[in-house]
Amino acid sequence: MDNGSADGTVPWLRELVKARNNYFLIENNENLGFSKGCNQGIEASRGSHILLLNNDTIVTPGWLSGLLECLHSSPDTGIVGPMTNSISGIQMVPEVGYSDTSTLDDYALAFRETYRGRRIPLRRIVGYCMIFRRELVERIGLLDEQFGSGNFEDDDYCLRAALAGYRNLVAGDVFIHHYGSATFRGNGINFGSAMPGNHGRFNSKWNGPFKDEALAKQVLTLKTLEKAEIFFHKGEPDKGIETILQEGIKLIPAEERFYFFLAEKLIEEKRYQDALGVLGELPSKRQQDRIALLNAYIQEGLGDIPAARTALAEIGENLPCNASMNNLLGVLAYHDGDKEDAIQHFHAATQHDPGFAESYTNLGVLAWSDERYPEAAELLARGFLLGPTIPDCAERFHAAAQLPEYLDRGINAFREARRLFAQNRRIAFFLIDLLIRKGETNEALTVIQDTIIEFGVPEGIFEASLPLRESAGPLTPTDPDAPAALSVCLIAKNEESNLPRCLASLRALADEIIVVDTGSNDRTREVARLFGAKVFDFPWNGNFSDARNESLAHASCRWILVMDADEVLSPLDHTRLKTLLAKKSNVPNALAIVTRNYMLQVNREKWQPNDGRYPMEEAAGGWVPSTKVRIFPNRMGIEFENPIHEIVEASLERNGIPVTDCEVPVHHYGYLDEERIREKKIAYYELGLEKLAKNGDDLKALYELAVQAGELSRHEEAVDLWRKCLAFNPAMDVAWFNLGYNLLMLSRFEEAHQASRKALELKPGYREAITNLAMCELCIGDSDEAIDMLKTSLDRNPDDPNTILMMGVALIYAGKPDAGKTYFSKLREDRIVFTGFVNECADKLIAAGKNDQALRLLNSLVEEGYHDERSAEMLRNIAA
């Protein structure tokens, strides 16, 4: 299929097709997009299997047979893809063993031999190469053509396969070469710009709510199974069990996947009696052979060998003796004392299925018991390679790998397994143990740090790691005067839970990390030291600037970056920031950085939705920007000022150091912990009141205090403070806007209307003031005026979420619910949570005596599945 090529591709393809009877060419006069082009090929094809392969790949010997072997390893396999050199996610091999494609085939053949039979469960198979049966297309349909030129059409297809009950796999023993994004470049498509749009389409399609009950159940089933799987990986089986019981079986009792998943996991955990109970609760006995095989494993685990044989005998003739059955027959033979028969069955299992991990592990255990250690080590390594998440396979190989002669091999194997299964606690802990035994202190510390981020601060590992850090010492700059040498300075108190993620995001960027602790009574100091920080104590005196300046006093590098414990700096920006610092090292300069303050509330001034640029860092639905100087040169008399809301800008001005903007953002999560941020705001507010009482009225102090009062819902106090600000400066548009907002919160609609009008007079087009004014109009009773002003604002700012949301509210208020809901749906595409905002609007309408309109608004939430408990409570109150 050619998608509108304008070079010599089409003539070349015509000649190629002419020479081969089984080749067919579809010529499109224009680029119809990746999904459309693939669908044309699928519909024109006649085979029982379909392969989608990008044109920027080079295939290798045995690649197709390897993919087919993986696809046919189980009848429930949906989509299969290979490993490669350049791709996103775990399908990429980090370090390949070839420098150019002339040795690619030799590398791929060796790769196939080394990893033969490895299959990696993965919901998302990247679409550069994917194979599936035609029956999958007949079941779930073609690729979704709304994704156009590419990005997320493969995510979508893989998700649909998983929802239909299929299991997608990476053929971990197949390697092909991928140049990467060549199709995008060849078609003049900007990969980065194509991503956010399709990301939004994907979210809109799959974030729900789902009116199709069958689809809703499929989504719930998949989410529940994946959530439970993560708990089992994390070593929290009880949470996994509870997830299946409460979020799965309780809601969809007829879904058999929950029962089989739980039974198999319980068998792995050796909780055989519990597994037996789960099988007994199966809603039907349709899969009798599968039930009988699981029951046989359970009876063997319980030590009832006759019952295990009886269960095996119940398996019908339609299920031939497969790898799992042969493995169990081997275990039973071993129980009977017939080791030779056991070995034969285990070998038969590996012949049936080269990827069946347990049989290799069992053969390894038998070889070890016969003191055939080299052979045993090979078999145990093979079992772990194929089944790294199976407890027995991991534990047996780890025991063998502790021996000096197998230590390096064990470390390499557990490293690779950790890359593929980063959420698996057992793999991480075994790797840490082997690294410590080898004396690989720095790598062990890195894995420990990542483990703390993933699993919290585990007691045993944490205490054992502190001596390692003491022996390694803190991060120390090799050349503190190097052009881009960077000291990161933080102050912290009781930040044990936040600090690991913060420091992990900085460890590859910082040449040294300074943490000043202001009185923690948790393990903040220990966590900081574990991540290589130099830790200093500072008795808290109520002055943030003093604490910040203490951290600066200990910094030794040319540059200083100031961070908080609930913030991160994305690894995507490390190189860019280092390059920028090196360029600016010759001239004193400070950098102002935008902080992305992630928030759940959308009705905040300047709030904007996430754009997909930082997939690992973005949180909630979006963020509010704030800008301040965070990076400045060291040892130039720069210091923080103000007891609260500490800044260095005044100090920079006195020292004649210019400030330039920096495009690298800091990601701040403090506003997501609403209880903690409220406590902080109360403390800041009280300090601000003290400052105001001591120093008298000051516009900047009044402004900061007024903002805090509003955020604490102390609206009466906020109104008073904003009026004081306006006494200083009657033309202060932001003060009129905030005055209007707080009056609106107090249901003083006429006064709020006047203040919002004044804000708009001073700043025409003030989006947030328009939203407030529209709400006032609805409460006063003029929906036409509200809709008109919102339309005008949307013409200027079509993507502003607050205006979109308010338009939806206004239209529903005006008796146009279908039109209003389309605006809600648009926000849902961007994963924006807006139920709280709509609830607040309904609350204001009730206060204004507009119960019918509030009822209409709340019912629209319920009909679309956006409501929450507060919505339901207001509906009950209106009905009463």
Side-chain angles (χ1 to χ4, degrees):
M1 186 277 298
D2 181 84
N3 231 352
S5 294
D7 55 8
T9 300
V10 173
W12 180 82
L13 287 172
R14 287 172 180 165
E15 291 300 315
L16 185 71
V17 170
K18 194 183 297 182
R20 292 168 174 82
N21 292 332
N22 59 337
Y23 280 33
F24 303 92
L25 175 62
I26 299 172
E27 296 182 29
N28 294 323
N29 293 326
E30 58 181 332
N31 188 348
L32 300 180
F34 182 82
S35 300
K36 176 69 173 178
C38 287
N39 287 342
Q40 286 179 311
I42 292 170
E43 290 180 309
S45 66
R46 296 174 295 185
S48 59
H49 296 79
I50 295 164
L51 172 77
L52 302 182
L53 182 67
N54 277 17
N55 59 11
D56 58 351
T57 56
I58 300 177
V59 296
T60 56
W63 70 285
L64 186 54
S65 59
L67 291 177
L68 288 169
E69 181 182 274
C70 182
L71 183 63
H72 294 153
S73 63
S74 173
D76 67 348
T77 303
I79 299 170
V80 167
M83 306 290 285
T84 189
N85 59 300
S86 175
I87 206 69
S88 62
I90 65 173
Q91 286 177 261
M92 187 182 82
V93 179
E95 296 180 6
V96 296
Y98 62 98
S99 56
D100 58 64
T101 55
S102 65
T103 57
L104 171 62
D105 286 356
D106 290 339
Y107 173 77
L109 287 168
F111 188 91
R112 172 85 165 141
E113 182 65 25
T114 299
Y115 296 105
R116 182 67 194 279
R118 182 173 67 164
R119 301 166 200 132
I120 306 164
L122 188 66
R123 190 224 283 177
R124 175 187 179 254
I125 305 299
V126 185
Y128 77 104
C129 176
M130 50 173 29
I131 191 169
F132 42 90
R133 298 178 181 89
R134 181 169 296 280
E135 67 181 50
L136 179 72
V137 181
E138 294 168 354
R139 177 96 178 267
I140 70 172
L142 298 167
L143 299 181
D144 190 334
E145 294 177 8
Q146 72 168 308
F147 296 106
S149 59
N151 279 328
F152 286 95
E153 77 291 329
D154 46 0
D155 300 67
D156 175 81
Y157 207 62
C158 290
L159 175 56
R160 285 157 57 195
L163 289 172
Y166 291 94
R167 188 173 66 130
N168 302 328
L169 297 173
V170 177
D173 56 357
V174 176
F175 184 93
I176 70 173
H177 182 80
H178 182 223
Y179 288 100
S181 300
T183 303
F184 284 91
R185 290 192 297 270
N187 287 290
I189 299 167
N190 185 307
F191 181 89
S193 64
M195 182 74 75
N198 281 351
H199 184 247
R201 295 181 186 95
F202 182 83
N203 288 333
S204 173
K205 181 174 181 178
W206 294 114
N207 278 348
F210 302 101
K211 295 182 179 180
D212 184 322
E213 184 179 352
L215 178 60
K217 286 183 176 180
Q218 287 180 334
V219 172
L220 175 63
T221 298
L222 183 61
K223 283 185 175 180
T224 303
L225 290 170
E226 291 183 343
K227 181 179 178 181
E229 181 79 54
I230 290 171
F231 279 128
F232 279 101
H233 275 302
K234 287 187 172 184
E236 301 178 85
D238 289 340
K239 289 184 179 179
I241 294 167
E242 190 68 10
T243 297
I244 293 294
L245 294 176
Q246 296 301 321
E247 300 177 28
I249 291 174
K250 184 177 180 180
L251 299 177
I252 315 178
E255 178 52 71
E256 294 190 350
R257 278 183 284 176
F258 293 136
Y259 300 86
F260 284 116
F261 171 90
L262 198 51
E264 289 165 359
K265 289 296 181 184
L266 288 167
I267 291 170
E268 281 188 4
E269 296 288 329
K270 295 183 168 41
R271 296 172 62 167
Y272 300 111
Q273 200 64 53
D274 291 337
L276 191 62
V278 170
L279 286 184
E281 294 296 323
L282 267 165
S284 79
K285 306 300 179 186
R286 286 175 297 182
Q287 300 185 54
Q288 290 184 357
D289 291 340
R290 187 177 182 184
I291 296 169
L293 184 57
L294 288 173
N295 187 37
Y297 270 99
I298 291 169
Q299 297 303 331
E300 184 277 326
L302 292 170
D304 192 340
I305 306 307
R309 291 193 180 282
T310 300
L312 277 178
E314 293 174 359
I315 296 175
E317 294 181 359
N318 59 322
L319 183 65
C321 192
N322 58 24
S324 185
M325 291 171 64
N326 263 307
N327 181 68
L328 181 54
L329 287 169
V331 172
L332 297 178
Y334 180 78
H335 279 297
D336 292 339
D338 192 341
K339 187 182 289 188
E340 288 303 316
D341 190 36
I343 290 172
Q344 287 181 13
H345 279 296
F346 293 144
H347 277 300
T350 65
Q351 293 298 312
H352 274 284
D353 182 358
F356 194 81
E358 292 96 323
S359 289
Y360 289 102
T361 295
N362 288 334
L363 286 168
V365 170
L366 292 180
W368 197 275
S369 68
D370 290 339
E371 300 183 356
R372 292 180 280 122
Y373 299 122
E375 179 187 352
E378 289 293 327
L379 289 164
L380 293 172
R382 172 66 57 177
F384 175 69
L385 172 75
L386 300 175
T389 64
I390 300 171
D392 268 355
C393 295
E395 289 162 8
R396 298 286 191 177
F397 178 57
H398 171 254
Q402 294 175 43
L403 297 178
E405 59 266 40
Y406 306 125
L407 191 53
D408 285 339
R409 179 172 188 170
I411 288 172
N412 290 332
F414 276 99
R415 276 184 190 138
E416 172 70 358
R418 173 138 177 82
R419 186 182 74 81
L420 300 175
F421 301 96
Q423 292 177 315
N424 190 281
R425 183 188 184 102
R426 183 181 291 105
I427 291 171
F429 282 18
F430 284 162
L431 175 57
I432 291 167
D433 176 68
L434 297 179
L435 289 168
I436 292 173
R437 290 175 187 274
K438 182 73 186 303
E440 299 285 351
T441 301
N442 289 331
E443 185 179 353
L445 284 170
T446 299
V447 180
I448 289 168
Q449 292 164 7
D450 292 338
T451 300
I452 288 172
I453 295 167
E454 188 68 44
F455 309 119
V457 186
E459 293 292 339
I461 290 289
F462 186 77
E463 278 68 29
S465 65
L466 291 177
L468 289 179
R469 173 48 72 187
E470 289 175 11
S471 67
L475 291 176
T476 303
T478 54
D479 181 5
D481 292 319
L486 181 67
S487 296
V488 177
C489 294
L490 301 94
I491 62 173
K493 181 179 180 181
N494 294 332
E495 294 285 3
E496 175 186 317
S497 59
N498 288 317
L499 203 53
R501 185 181 182 188
C502 172
L503 297 183
S505 79
L506 300 167
R507 64 189 172 196
L509 175 73
D511 295 278
E512 86 177 339
I513 300 174
I514 307 296
V515 173
V516 166
D517 186 85
T518 61
S520 296
N521 52 28
D522 64 358
R523 291 184 290 189
T524 294
R525 297 178 187 85
E526 291 79 4
V527 169
R529 290 193 181 97
L530 180 60
F531 279 81
K534 298 172 182 176
V535 181
F536 302 91
D537 290 324
F538 179 81
W540 179 241
N541 64 355
N543 190 308
F544 285 92
S545 286
D546 288 350
R548 294 280 188 199
N549 291 332
E550 177 70 13
S551 72
L552 304 187
H554 296 285
S556 64
C557 292
R558 179 188 288 262
W559 293 97
I560 288 174
L561 165 65
V562 177
M563 296 281 289
D564 285 328
D566 52 4
E567 298 175 334
V568 303
L569 202 151
S570 173
L572 296 174
D573 290 322
H574 285 184
T575 301
R576 184 157 55 137
L577 186 57
K578 278 286 192 180
T579 302
L580 179 63
L581 294 180
K583 285 181 179 178
K584 291 182 172 290
S585 61
N586 293 327
V587 181
N589 197 265
L591 300 178
I593 289 181
V594 173
T595 302
R596 288 184 166 203
N597 300 289
Y598 292 102
M599 295 186 182
L600 295 169
Q601 307 97 323
V602 300
N603 56 328
R604 299 293 296 269
E605 187 177 12
K606 299 180 182 177
W607 189 93
Q608 51 193 286
N610 293 327
D611 55 15
R613 285 175 54 204
Y614 293 96
M616 300 304 294
E617 287 78 29
E618 290 178 349
W623 46 281
V624 172
S626 60
T627 304
K628 62 183 176 182
V629 172
R630 286 180 177 267
I631 298 179
F632 45 85
N634 193 7
R635 300 184 292 271
M636 296 193 68
I638 302 168
E639 61 181 5
F640 282 91
E641 299 178 11
N642 300 332
I644 59 173
H645 305 296
E646 65 281 11
I647 57 172
V648 294
E649 279 80 346
S651 177
L652 291 167
E653 186 175 350
R654 284 196 304 272
N655 284 280
I657 298 175
V659 176
T660 56
D661 291 333
C662 174
E663 293 183 358
V664 172
V666 163
H667 305 268
H668 178 81
Y669 304 102
Y671 289 99
L672 298 178
D673 187 345
E674 294 184 349
E675 183 58 34
R676 186 172 185 186
I677 201 63
R678 181 173 177 79
E679 292 173 2
K680 281 187 175 182
K681 284 178 179 176
I682 290 171
Y684 283 4
Y685 187 64
E686 291 171 351
L687 284 170
L689 288 173
E690 291 175 14
K691 178 183 173 183
L692 204 63
K694 183 177 179 181
N695 300 330
D697 284 354
D698 167 81
L699 181 57
K700 186 174 184 300
L702 282 168
Y703 173 86
E704 292 171 351
L705 208 56
V707 170
Q708 290 166 351
E711 289 178 346
L712 290 168
S713 298
R714 298 183 179 185
H715 299 299
E716 293 282 6
E717 295 170 50
V719 166
D720 181 58
L721 289 164
W722 286 118
R723 291 196 190 282
K724 287 182 178 179
C725 288
L726 289 167
F728 272 93
N729 180 7
M732 191 177 181
D733 54 78
V734 69
W736 284 108
F737 158 67
N738 278 288
L739 177 61
Y741 171 77
N742 283 282
L743 288 166
L744 181 59
M745 291 300 99
L746 292 168
S747 300
R748 290 158 61 175
F749 303 119
E750 292 288 353
E751 294 175 80
H753 188 278
Q754 293 169 13
S756 300
R757 278 280 184 206
K758 185 65 176 178
L760 275 171
E761 289 173 12
L762 292 167
K763 183 181 175 181
Y766 198 157
R767 290 176 297 175
E768 291 81 8
I770 291 170
T771 303
N772 281 352
L773 188 59
M775 190 67 231
C776 292
E777 293 287 359
L778 297 184
C779 291
I780 293 169
D782 194 341
S783 61
D784 290 342
E785 178 68 20
I787 291 169
D788 286 344
M789 74 173 73
L790 290 168
K791 281 181 178 177
T792 302
S793 184
L794 280 174
D795 287 340
R796 290 191 297 262
N797 307 286
D799 297 320
D800 179 60
N802 280 320
T803 314
I804 293 169
L805 186 48
M806 198 65 231
M807 178 61 91
V809 170
L811 288 168
I812 293 169
Y813 175 104
K816 302 173 182 177
D818 290 340
K821 290 176 196 175
T822 62
Y823 286 88
F824 289 175
S825 297
K826 186 174 182 181
L827 294 172
R828 196 69 182 225
E829 290 179 14
D830 294 321
R831 305 181 72 179
I832 294 173
V833 179
F834 53 82
T835 302
F837 180 98
V838 179
N839 285 341
E840 202 169 85
C841 291
D843 183 64
K844 294 298 133 208
L845 291 174
I846 292 168
K850 309 285 184 182
N851 283 14
D852 290 345
Q853 290 85 346
L855 183 64
R856 194 179 299 147
L857 186 59
L858 293 168
N859 279 332
S860 294
L861 278 184
V862 172
E863 289 163 9
E864 297 300 307
Y866 300 143
H867 63 291
D868 60 10
E869 182 52 41
R870 190 181 172 207
S871 314
E873 182 182 358
M874 283 192 283
L875 280 169
R876 289 193 293 269
N877 290 339
I878 292 172

